[in-house]
Amino acid sequence: MCAGTTLFFTVVSCRSHSKQLKTMATKIRIKDIAERAGVSVGTVDRVLHDRPNVSPPAREKVEKALKEMNYQPNMYASALAYNKSYTFFLLIPMHESEAYWEEIEEGAKKCEDTRRDFHIDVEIRYYQRFNEDSFKDKCIEILNSSPDGVVIVPAQLDITRRFTDKLHDHNIPFVLLDSYMPDLRPLSFYGQDSFCSGYFAAKMLMLLAAQEKEIMLMRQTKDGKLVSKQQDNREVGFRHYMHDHFPEIEIVNLDLPLQGTRKEYEHTMENFFIQHPHLHHCITLNSKAYLVGEFLLKTNRRDVQIMGYDMVAKNVECLRQGSISFLIAQHAYLQGYSCVDTLFNAIVLKKKVTPVNYMPIELLSKENVDFYRRTQL
């Protein structure tokens, strides 16, 4: 009984002591650090805020004291106390309202709202795809605004490099979104592994279409070129899988021009299906699966299904009505949020950030689409 009682009080005593130490650790003052290091309060302040004019011996003494005292700075409190405002720019392609990019914007603006206490401002700039002058003009506009950080959806590598080289020259951090270009040395990247995504899409499609003789690949193009590097890489992954596992199946391209009208699209698709009456499965590696899905519903072609990307509203409606069989989701909203939050963590809180962030490759059907959380963080 006595031994048990002694043990009980010993445990309480240890816990109490631990709590006291923790309380002391959270209340470490600059004065305490200065006394332990044997330097002035001003020297400690300069070391903590990484300011110049500190001799190597003095810095070493302060850093030793910080380590011995297990000092953990409150980065949030410091950033709030500093009361500085920050401007981040998001550079993305011009787009329609029903698009993957719209969710990117919503996510970025949500992060701006979440971090509003830190005076974060997110400015969005749009460039025309395949228009070098448009991209260049927006880059100049951003540079002239002296941003604290930039999120970039890249254009072609050489064109984007001209911009990112200038950002490096001015020590402005940037995050790449959608297309990973490691040679540009970004602070971080957010997006899917495009090759793996295309490979996965092919594998899932062939669970349904293994007995087919031909499959339609719908692509959005401008002057015969795919409208993004990401789609190009997805197609490489898609064709790689098909070549290795279903070489006998013909992949028939249906190119829809980026600036085409709905009437033009319908005319093109009508001719396509007349020419390919035995085709039952289609795939597109972009967010516009609904262009084909709505046409299939309108013309009552119930024996044809399409597989596509992204949970935009029109795609989801086609999924529910059965003209789209599957959608691959890539958390566009989360990507937009995370890109801005990465700049916030690196620039405002001075934290290390993860350099490469591949998004999950998730398969949605009409049975599970209602459980998908587009805005989940």
Side-chain angles (χ1 to χ4, degrees):
M1 183 69 168
C2 290
T5 304
T6 302
L7 177 61
F8 173 78
F9 279 107
T10 300
V11 172
V12 171
S13 177
C14 289
R15 287 177 177 172
S16 177
H17 182 60
S18 175
K19 185 175 181 180
Q20 289 175 1
L21 288 176
K22 186 175 181 181
T23 302
M24 289 175 62
T26 60
K27 293 182 178 180
I28 295 174
R29 302 170 300 176
I30 290 181
K31 180 181 178 181
D32 300 327
I33 302 168
E35 288 178 355
R36 188 174 188 115
V39 299
S40 69
V41 169
T43 297
V44 175
D45 185 72
R46 285 194 291 275
V47 172
L48 289 177
H49 294 90
D50 199 25
R51 297 190 184 110
N53 302 322
V54 180
S55 67
R59 183 178 293 277
E60 185 177 345
K61 289 179 181 179
V62 173
E63 289 175 348
K64 181 181 178 183
L66 293 172
K67 186 175 181 180
E68 290 174 350
M69 300 172 78
N70 193 28
Y71 176 76
Q72 299 293 329
N74 189 329
M75 295 179 177
Y76 278 82
S78 298
L80 283 169
Y82 196 48
N83 203 33
K84 185 181 185 298
S85 61
Y86 302 86
T87 301
F88 301 149
F89 279 84
L90 172 60
L91 180 60
I92 64 175
M94 291 181 180
H95 58 83
E96 301 171 358
S97 60
E98 279 289 339
Y100 159 81
W101 305 113
E102 187 175 41
E103 292 198 18
I104 295 286
E105 289 185 46
E106 291 177 13
K109 283 298 185 179
K110 177 60 178 179
C111 186
E112 176 190 44
D113 182 61
T114 301
R115 304 301 188 185
R116 61 184 177 277
D117 289 345
F118 296 88
H119 310 291
I120 302 297
D121 180 41
V122 176
E123 299 284 342
I124 302 176
R125 296 293 181 269
Y126 306 94
Y127 67 89
Q128 295 178 12
R129 279 199 182 277
F130 301 107
N131 187 324
E132 184 174 341
D133 290 335
S134 174
F135 187 82
K136 179 181 176 182
D137 289 344
K138 295 305 174 183
C139 291
I140 292 172
E141 182 180 333
I142 291 172
L143 285 168
N144 289 340
S145 300
S146 300
D148 295 286
V150 186
V151 178
I152 307 169
V153 176
Q156 286 76 21
L157 177 61
D158 56 335
I159 299 171
T160 308
R161 191 195 302 275
R162 297 173 204 167
F163 180 38
T164 56
D165 282 349
K166 288 187 167 95
L167 292 175
H168 281 301
D169 290 343
H170 291 84
N171 295 315
I172 300 172
F174 64 91
V175 175
L176 291 182
L177 171 63
D178 188 60
S179 297
Y180 186 35
M181 299 178 177
D183 290 349
L184 302 182
R185 297 174 292 131
L187 171 71
S188 187
F189 161 75
Y190 282 88
Q192 281 189 346
D193 183 318
S194 302
F195 178 90
C196 288
S197 179
Y199 193 94
F200 173 81
K203 189 172 185 178
M204 294 301 100
L205 176 67
M206 297 319 294
L207 293 176
L208 303 175
Q211 304 303 317
E212 299 298 314
K213 294 183 178 179
E214 57 182 6
I215 292 171
M216 181 251 275
L217 173 61
M218 188 276 275
R219 315 188 312 167
Q220 276 215 291
T221 59
K222 184 171 183 180
D223 300 327
K225 298 179 181 177
L226 289 175
V227 297
S228 80
K229 182 67 175 175
Q230 186 189 63
Q231 289 178 49
D232 194 12
N233 289 338
R234 285 175 184 167
E235 186 171 326
V236 172
F238 173 80
R239 291 184 180 276
H240 188 85
Y241 179 88
M242 295 300 294
H243 177 270
D244 287 351
H245 299 279
F246 294 91
E248 72 283 2
I249 294 181
E250 181 183 3
I251 300 171
V252 186
N253 290 347
L254 173 64
D255 289 353
L256 299 180
L258 184 62
Q259 302 299 331
T261 65
R262 182 58 63 95
K263 185 175 181 179
E264 290 170 341
Y265 290 161
E266 290 181 355
H267 178 72
T268 300
M269 286 186 279
E270 185 66 44
N271 288 335
F272 179 89
F273 285 108
I274 289 173
Q275 295 171 15
H276 301 274
H278 303 297
L279 189 145
H280 302 292
H281 290 279
C282 318
I283 187 168
T284 181
L285 304 173
N286 59 44
S287 62
K288 299 294 183 67
Y290 65 84
L291 292 178
V292 181
E294 290 178 344
F295 173 79
L296 296 176
L297 292 172
K298 183 178 180 179
T299 55
N300 201 30
R301 285 179 164 84
R302 296 292 177 175
D303 62 335
V304 181
Q305 288 189 322
I306 185 169
M307 180 174 178
Y309 275 75
D310 299 319
M311 193 178 161
V312 298
K314 289 183 179 180
N315 280 348
V316 173
E317 184 58 28
C318 289
L319 186 69
R320 290 195 173 107
Q321 294 195 43
S323 61
I324 291 179
S325 53
F326 293 110
L327 288 172
I328 294 179
Q330 54 178 329
H331 290 282
Y333 179 95
L334 179 58
Q335 289 184 56
Y337 186 101
S338 299
C339 285
V340 175
D341 204 44
T342 292
L343 291 177
F344 166 77
N345 279 289
I347 297 169
V348 181
L349 301 186
K350 312 298 182 187
K351 289 183 175 180
K352 290 184 178 180
V353 298
T354 305
V356 180
N357 303 272
Y358 286 122
M359 305 306 294
I361 302 171
E362 299 182 337
L363 195 67
L364 302 179
S365 68
K366 65 181 179 180
E367 288 78 19
N368 71 352
V369 68
D370 291 331
F371 304 103
Y372 177 79
R373 295 292 178 263
R374 180 180 68 92
T375 61
Q376 186 174 5
L377 298 175

